[in-house]
Amino acid sequence: MEWTIHQVATATGTTSRTLRHYADIGLLAPSRVGPNGYRYYDDAALRRYQRILLLRELGLGLSTIAGVLEERTDEVTALREHAGLLEAEAARLTRLAASVRETIRRTETGEELDVRTSFEGFDASRYEEEVVQRWGRDAHEAAQRNWRELGEEGRAANAAEADAIGRGLAAAAARGADPGEREVQDLLRRHHAWVSEFWTPGAEAYRGLTAMYVDDERFRATYEAYGPGTAVLLRDAAEVFAQRELV
């Protein structure tokens, strides 16, 4: 049995554009391309795609994933390894959730943050390769430096601002707001300023970053947690913001 690129994209919550990109870089080729140009994926291709998605869930960059797949480890052994990594990641996320709950409690009671507990589960280094590939070593180092310089209070304020922007965009998406309307663009101005606490993107970089919020499963899940359509509204509104403010 074979599935079309549209069927695979719909079933996995990704986009046809992402699947075509994976084919272009040699990561996931369709099992065949029909005379009409349609791409089809068989069982072997879907199994490979599952491995790719599992490795993406662990935060690995595309070049690293390609290297892992080229090792040609037998499927059951590879899946056991992936399961172990996912269990370790689940434990990390449990620590991260507990850290955030503790920050909420301390914020509500007016207590200072405790550096020993406030950053349990965070691991910014896991995205280093991907950030460097997309935006360069300078952007990564600047982001890391700016994050350290924020200090505990600055990081807490940064997280609170991200949450406020996400909630605002979710409310706008729920009422069907136009990406160019003033309230939405005010939120985008805050979002660009929030990003710029680490690294200031120009128009094209900002478009690329916000496109990831839809195309990349990890980012989309983060924003869609606020409500359906939040990631798409952010991407579309960023295009308007880039044209108006960053050109």
Side-chain angles (χ1 to χ4, degrees), residues 188 191 205-214 231 234-235 238-239:
L188 263 292
H191 181 266
Y206 192 53
R207 288 187 182 100
L209 174 66
T210 52
M212 285 177 61
Y213 296 163
V214 176
L234 176 52
R235 179 199 62 190
E239 175 63 33

Side-chain angles (χ1 to χ4, degrees), residues 148-167:
R148 290 192 299 269
E149 292 175 353
L150 278 177
E152 292 183 23
E153 291 185 5
R155 291 167 189 157
N158 179 272
E161 175 68 351
D163 184 64
I165 293 168
R167 292 178 185 278

